[in-house]
Amino acid sequence: MQIITNTGGIAVTNCFVIADESAKQAVLFDAPDHTVEPMLDELARRGWELIGLWLTHGHFDHVADHLVVTQKFPNAKVLIHELDAPKLRNPKTSVFVLPFTIPPREPDGLLDDGQKLAIGSLELEVIHTPGHSPGHVMFHLASEKILVGGDLIIGGSIGRTDLPDSDHAALEASVRKIMRLPPETRLLPGHGDISTLGQERENNPYVQQILQTLSS
């Protein structure tokens, strides 16, 4: 397994490639604006097939360059949870005023909680973690102790819940759900630095407060 990462766009968003280099298959997780092209070029250079763009959720900074991805790798399947699919189908509904236009598209498939996906021999499980957005998901690669996290837990903080379809109580429940995974699990977040769930438990005051509220 190999991981390639890049960070960019107007919201300083992370995206990740996870690859089974033996099978020469890879998946891109999220597509921030002005960020994915160097990664796509590297995949092409290595001769890896990009089989998917798997989206943690539908906010603009995670879907903006979906067309860039599928123009270079037309067979890559764009997957998103059903509850966030409307954001992909109609990006103009974004509450943010953007200096670029995100083209609409129909997803190639819909994600669901507990769904199993594969990148070559690597098996991942979809975990539905609503709150920041109703269709937010995370991707758990248990064999490698990897969690592609989107905007649930980010950079020592948590995802914002002041957006029209956010739900803070749902986000708290999602944090508690995720924090039951092994503490050594590496968290690949949508923003900020890579950490572990154990580090977030020890150092993230928002996660600490949510977990303390549960036990009090």
Side-chain angles (χ1 to χ4, degrees), residues 46-60:
R46 298 188 186 195
W48 293 350
E49 176 191 7
L50 188 72
I51 63 170
L53 169 59
W54 299 350
L55 301 168
T56 59
H57 59 298
H59 289 160
F60 80 91

Side-chain angles (χ1 to χ4, degrees), residues 92-141:
K92 291 183 179 179
T93 59
S94 172
V95 298
F96 303 97
V97 178
L98 302 175
F100 50 81
T101 299
I102 303 173
R105 72 159 290 149
E106 186 70 23
D108 295 306
L110 299 175
L111 301 168
D112 198 10
D113 188 55
Q115 182 178 352
K116 299 295 194 300
L117 301 169
I119 308 169
S121 63
L122 304 173
E123 184 177 275
L124 299 87
E125 181 178 357
V126 177
I127 305 177
H128 184 211
T129 49
H132 178 62
S133 69
H136 189 284
V137 300
M138 303 170 87
F139 299 90
H140 186 212
L141 180 52

